[in-house]
């Protein structure tokens, strides 16, 4: 049997050398070991309330969530006529209004002759991409931003309320303005991001009144805001990006020193306790303009976001509604497709604190 085609050798040949001229002594070998792309950690499931996971089925379904009624306490004196109050049954909805899908096909000939199981390889990658899109969307939503395009970090202010706001004083991004931290918290302009800088030369804090702060000062301020809202100190979390983590390491290398038995990052978790927070690192947080790595002081247009909260603050419900394989009617091939349905809702905006920052 003869093969027609071009054979390219890795070895060079001297001019005039004619032995084994076609290079067939050195065939090209395709490895069965596939290079798998690096994957971002998905952390939304670790920081949100998934109690409603089993209560959804199809896109458009919604879960009615009843809020705890407020009780009025009144002074009592002997002989006072007691008037019982009417209990409120206020509710809001977690709506399953997000859907993404994947679809690919593998020809029978390709499947029969390939040394790689491309169907399994592609299915694994598709599952990761669906999870990553869910993580990007949810992290953007709970920080007050949305994606301008699929599979990109949130970079546009969210102005669309998902159903109704959980608290009447929340904005169209469903967050409370009192829980947002910017440069004004540290003596700067409210339109600017906080300029972060590590302690250097024995300094104990950033220059006062400049709109700058050390990373730990920002984390401590977030903790204080949650404390003032009576948020439970158990199950608090903080999500930061690699730029913030780098400065945090410069702040005090003992904070992240390899951390916790040498296991390194596990599903995004990098610290078990920092000012009462479990700390996660994610590349899916909002990045505005050129992002937080912009230097030159505080900035109103280029910054990153970090967010802290309590596990009960945001609810997520997700379900892979359909994953199926069927024959392609137009060729000899199998088509694999899947769809991911999910919803997310801020339940307690008073239990979320966000901060915008950039490098100094």
């Amino acid at each position: 049997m003869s093969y027609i085609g071009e054979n390219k050798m890795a070895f060079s040949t001297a001019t005039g050398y004619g032995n084994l001229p076609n290079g067939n002594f050195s065939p090209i070998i395709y490895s069965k070991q596939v290079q798998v792309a690096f994957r971002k950690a998905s952390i939304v499931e670790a920081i949100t309330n998934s109690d409603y996971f089993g209560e959804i089925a199809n896109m458009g379904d919604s879960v009615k969530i009843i809020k705890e009624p407020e009780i009025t306490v009144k002074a009592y004196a002997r002989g006072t006529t007691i008037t019982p109050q009417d209990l409120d049954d206020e509710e809001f909805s977690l709506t399953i209004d997000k859907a993404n899908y994947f679809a690919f096909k593998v020809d029978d000939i390709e499947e029969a002759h390939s040394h790689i199981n491309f169907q399994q390889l592609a299915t694994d990658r598709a599952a990761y991409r669906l999870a990553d899109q869910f993580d990007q969307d949810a992290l953007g939503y709970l920080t007050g931003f949305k994606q301008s395009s699929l599979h990109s970090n949130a970079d546009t202010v969210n102005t669309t309320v998902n159903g109704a706001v959980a608290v009447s004083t929340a904005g169209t991004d469903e967050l409370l303005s009192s829980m947002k931290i910017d440069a004004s918290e540290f003596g700067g302009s409210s339109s600017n991001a906080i300029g972060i800088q590590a302690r250097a030369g024995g300094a104990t804090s950033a220059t006062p009144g400049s709109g700058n702060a050390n990373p730990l000062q920002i984390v401590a301020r977030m903790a204080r805001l949650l404390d003032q809202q009576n948020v439970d100190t158990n199950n608090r979390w903080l999500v930061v990006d690699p730029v913030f983590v780098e400065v945090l390491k410069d702040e005090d290398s003992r904070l992240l020193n390899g951390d916790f038995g040498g296991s390194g990052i596990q599903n995004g978790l990098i610290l078990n306790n920092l000012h009462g927070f479990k700390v996660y690192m994610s590349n899916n947080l909002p990045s505005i303009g050129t992002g937080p790595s912009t230097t030159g002081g505080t900035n109103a247009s280029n910054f990153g976001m970090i967010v802290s909260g309590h596990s009960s603050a945001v609810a997520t419900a997700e379900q892979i509604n359909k994953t199926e394989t069927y024959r392609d009617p137009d060729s000899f091939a199998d088509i694999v497709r899947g769809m991911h349905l999910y919803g997310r809702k801020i339940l307690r905006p008073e239990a979320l604190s966000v901060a915008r920052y950039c490098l100094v």
Side-chain angles (χ1 to χ4, degrees):
M1 181 180 293
S2 61
Y3 298 90
I4 300 175
E6 181 182 8
N7 183 36
K8 296 182 179 179
M9 292 186 297
F11 304 105
S12 59
T13 302
T15 302
Y17 185 77
N19 193 44
L20 300 176
N22 293 323
N24 291 327
F25 72 94
S26 178
I28 296 174
I29 304 299
Y30 287 91
S31 173
K32 292 184 179 181
Q33 303 299 318
V34 176
Q35 185 183 54
V36 178
F38 290 122
R39 284 159 162 73
K40 291 179 281 185
S42 179
I43 65 169
V44 165
E45 292 177 342
I47 66 174
T48 60
N49 175 5
S50 59
D51 291 346
Y52 311 100
F53 177 85
E55 300 186 36
I56 66 168
N58 297 297
M59 185 176 180
D61 280 3
S62 62
V63 178
K64 298 290 186 183
I65 302 171
I66 307 299
K67 296 183 66 174
E68 180 183 55
E70 186 55 75
I71 299 296
T72 301
V73 176
K74 301 177 182 179
Y76 176 78
R78 288 188 305 160
T80 298
T81 299
I82 297 177
T83 304
Q85 74 175 84
D86 293 328
L87 292 180
D88 190 10
D89 60 349
E90 184 180 354
E91 66 179 21
F92 51 91
S93 297
L94 166 59
T95 304
I96 308 308
D97 58 353
K98 298 288 183 179
N100 297 304
Y101 80 94
F102 70 86
F104 63 87
K105 70 178 182 178
V106 179
D107 191 274
D108 289 354
I109 295 176
E110 297 165 348
E111 184 176 6
H113 292 274
S114 176
H115 64 301
I116 297 295
N117 187 340
F118 278 102
Q119 181 170 317
Q120 182 62 52
L121 196 66
T123 301
D124 289 346
R125 183 64 179 178
Y128 161 70
R129 292 301 290 166
L130 287 177
D132 187 52
Q133 169 56 28
F134 167 62
D135 200 69
Q136 289 174 349
D137 176 65
L139 277 178
Y141 167 68
L142 62 87
T143 50
F145 289 82
K146 61 183 178 181
Q147 295 173 303
S148 58
S149 61
L150 204 65
H151 301 308
S152 65
N153 286 19
D155 57 5
T156 305
V157 174
N158 181 28
T159 57
T160 303
V161 177
N162 182 7
V165 294
V167 176
S168 60
T169 53
T172 55
D173 59 4
E174 302 185 48
L175 300 175
L176 298 176
S177 59
S178 60
M179 302 297 287
K180 297 177 181 179
I181 301 175
D182 55 29
S184 64
E185 294 283 332
F186 301 96
S189 169
S190 60
S191 62
N192 285 342
I194 304 164
I196 66 166
Q197 58 187 97
R199 290 183 176 92
T204 57
S205 63
T207 305
S210 62
N212 298 333
N214 305 130
L216 287 178
Q217 287 180 292
I218 299 175
V219 176
R221 182 61 54 87
M222 287 179 144
R224 189 196 82 180
L225 291 178
L226 295 179
D227 290 340
Q228 290 175 326
Q229 294 289 343
N230 303 315
V231 176
D232 194 341
T233 54
N234 292 322
N235 299 316
R236 289 187 182 183
W237 49 261
L238 169 69
V239 185
V240 295
D241 61 21
V243 176
F244 194 91
V245 170
E246 179 188 20
V247 184
L248 192 61
K249 288 179 178 179
D250 288 341
E251 175 98 336
D252 189 339
S253 62
R254 293 169 298 176
L255 290 173
L256 301 105
N257 59 355
D259 297 8
F260 303 96
S263 59
I265 297 175
Q266 297 295 311
N267 295 323
L269 179 65
I270 59 173
L271 279 174
N272 278 307
N273 193 338
L274 179 64
H275 288 327
F277 295 108
K278 272 192 171 184
V279 183
Y280 295 86
M281 183 173 70
S282 175
N283 281 321
N284 285 339
L285 286 166
S287 182
I288 315 304
T290 55
S293 59
T294 302
T295 57
T298 54
N299 199 305
S301 302
N302 306 295
F303 56 88
M305 297 292 298
I306 63 174
V307 57
S308 66
H310 186 266
S311 59
S312 66
V314 181
T316 55
E318 57 173 327
Q319 181 178 2
I320 300 292
N321 189 49
K322 293 181 183 296
T323 300
E324 59 188 17
T325 302
Y326 65 96
R327 294 295 292 173
D328 182 4
D330 299 318
S331 66
F332 292 100
D334 288 329
I335 295 179
V336 181
R337 65 183 182 183
M339 181 167 61
H340 184 203
L341 303 158
Y342 68 91
R344 67 282 191 279
K345 180 63 180 175
I346 294 175
L347 306 180
R348 295 179 173 176
E350 69 275 15
L352 284 174
S353 177
V354 299
R356 56 175 64 188
Y357 85 95
C358 65
L359 295 181
V360 174

